[in-house]
Amino acid sequence: MSTSLKDQLRENDEAFARTGHLFGLERLHRKESDPGTYEAMWHILSNMCNLAWEVGCKVSSSPIAVEGGDALWALHLPTGEAICVSRGITAHVNLLAHTVRSIVELGYEEYPGFRQGDIFENNDPHYGGIHAPDFEMAMPIFHGDTLVAWATAVSHVSDCGSVTPGSVGFLNPDCYSDGLCISMEKVGENDRHYPWYDMRVRSRTRTPEFVLGDARGRVAGCVSMRERLTAVIDKYGLDFFLDATREYVEDSRRYAVNRVRTQTVPGRARKSQFKDLAMRGKRTLLGKQDVDCLFNLPMEVEVRGDASVHFSLRGASGTVPFGENISPVALKSGLLNGYSHIIGFDMFNSGPASAWDVETPPDGSWANPFEKDFSASSGVAWAPAVIWMSNLYEMFGRLFQMRGFVEEMAAGAATTMTAEFAGITQLGYYLAGLTLEQASNGSPARGFGDGENSAWCIYTPNADFGNAEVTELYYPILYLGRNVEPDSGGYGRFRGGLGHTAVWMVHNTPSGIDYQCGDAGMRSRTVANHGMYGAYPTWTDTPSYAHGTNVKELVEARRPLVHERGPAERPHISVNISAAELVTEGDAAVRDARAPAELRPDRPPDLRGAGDGRPDRARPGRDPGRPRQGMDQRPRGDRDQRRGHLAERRLQRRSRRHRAAARRDP
């Protein structure tokens, strides 16, 4: 009698606890005996996942998938561990692995059973999802009668039926307002969804054609993986495939452990980020939301002598009456994503997640809400998580710097913003959806240079603006501007990469549109990342809204329009246009990563950066370490003189401390 998958899971866990190696693999026999074939098959499987991404996104026809690429496909072992993944939203890798593991642990192998073409799905945070718009899907892959792998996919749908249109459920007061819920269900067979699945989507979402298009795209991508996997197994043999795929996961774990061992130091580090929700007196749905909230987002990292890593969130604050609570499973998946950026990025899969453990966050906290508050909403659960993950970059960056690996440092991320529209399009149908181009943030400053402009996002290393022309086909908007924003990176010796500003004009819609700025820092008055070694933080995200404008008259008169936001103290949007209503709402740097011996008391740290022609980096008479935020309204001459005095006093204090230290240590 063959061993059940549930028994295999238990045996795998016992082998890892006994040997310290996944599946008990103390040696990688396939890699040692045939390294060329081992590497070749890995790249074939990785490319197979990327091809599934291309197929699935194109089949879905959703602007979120086609232009934003907010989707992911992955190949897994029969017990759920991810082998390799596609490009896309890599924050979901561990979520998909958990989905497959949960299917096994829930006994689905016995009932309803696994057959080729079955479709299982989940978007419920109570069972391992992150938030309702992210539909996670898994399909078993058989070779003959043997279950050899799982193909999985996740895509972010345009509308999940929550209380507000779209997929950024920030205002959701509880989980009952989060929308359509699919809780670890079998939703199809023979590569087709059940008819009642379609009926459910049409009954409970505002954009059913796009949601169903995403569902078909997920299946199409997984089927393409299955077909190509059959050819791979026929070429290399089933035994080699089964052995090598397990070794890939253990190999990746070893890589992450060796990086920690060779490039960090044992010890413990702590850091907290803070995030607030300034919602008192604002438009909300329920009375309990008329509050101002402050999140504590703590992270403690302990690097042990065996190079294993322990994470803790002790001190995390409680749940909030908004859609910004996240399950521990989803948080760990986000952590794997950040970990892959700076530690375990070779053969990216589930392996590095076995190189560390996460202490269960406090019950009833924003990071573990359901034990004490089952009804907590996760409408935009990633909002606190992406800010919390920035702790990881700074703490490991400090450890890298201690060992001299400054090229491995990264200062962390700022917030991540998206734009969501809802209303009647220029083609006459209703649409809600995201542009996602604002997720193309500047990348963090490194220990040796500035970050890259508008090329990175903390939840995906493959940030993509998308095509403005295609976005205009989907939504009733016209682009008036799309520009890199000067001075938007944090100030320091090395600057964070610049973000960008898009300016849209609502166009050719009979009823206007609702616009929501989906943002990890939405309604926030605190900065998302403090910067490293005393560097200044990035700008806060600053969306502006204008209603009842004279833009039509300006166009007809061929007068100048607004093409960028402009300086914070005098934005162009308020200069170039008149409006009945105009509202302005409110990546990190490394200040000085040199070794202490390089710092001289008679020379202040260089706060400017590498010099890439960005305006206002070091204008004479202006402190380049201070972002222009429009907070000081005194004449510029007075401000410059005051800053000069402050800089001189700081230098004097520093020189006195250095002389005192020299006297104590002759």
Side-chain angles (χ1 to χ4, degrees), residues 65 285 307 470 655:
L285 300 178
V470 176
S655 298

Side-chain angles (χ1 to χ4, degrees), residues 90-91 252-253 255-261 264 299 301-303 307-311 331-346 348-358 388-389 392-393 396 399-400 458:
T90 53
S252 183
R253 185 200 67 82
Y255 176 87
V257 171
N258 287 333
R259 288 257 299 166
V260 172
R261 178 179 294 114
T264 70
M299 180 184 289
V301 175
E302 180 185 359
V303 179
S308 64
V309 180
H310 175 76
F311 291 97
L331 193 73
K332 291 177 184 178
S333 187
L335 183 61
L336 175 61
N337 172 71
Y339 206 76
S340 74
H341 289 180
I342 59 173
I343 300 289
F345 46 76
D346 186 53
F348 178 43
N349 54 37
S350 292
S354 299
W356 44 260
D357 62 272
V358 181
W388 173 76
M389 280 195 293
L392 182 73
Y393 293 75
F396 269 96
L399 296 175
F400 292 147
I458 195 168

Side-chain angles (χ1 to χ4, degrees), residues 12 16 20-25 27-28 30-31 38 41-42 45 74-85 93-94 97 101 148-149 240-257 336 344-356:
N12 291 346
F16 182 57
H21 298 275
L22 290 171
F23 321 112
L25 294 174
R27 293 186 59 189
L28 305 180
R30 295 294 188 177
K31 181 179 183 179
Y38 179 85
M41 192 174 78
W42 159 260
L45 296 178
L75 183 69
H76 299 253
L77 295 174
T79 47
E81 296 85 354
I83 302 166
C84 54
V85 302
V93 174
N94 240 25
R101 184 179 178 110
V148 296
F240 185 90
F241 171 80
L242 294 176
D243 292 344
T245 50
R246 287 157 63 98
E247 290 186 14
Y248 293 147
V249 184
E250 166 62 10
D251 201 354
S252 183
R253 185 200 67 82
R254 294 184 184 189
Y255 176 87
V257 171
L336 175 61
F345 46 76
D346 186 53
M347 285 189 172
F348 178 43
N349 54 37
S350 292
S354 299
W356 44 260

Side-chain angles (χ1 to χ4, degrees), residues 464-482:
D464 190 351
F465 269 59
N467 294 290
E469 296 81 3
V470 176
T471 300
E472 291 175 339
L473 292 176
Y474 282 106
Y475 303 112
I477 60 172
L478 289 178
Y479 278 80
L480 299 184
R482 199 187 211 190

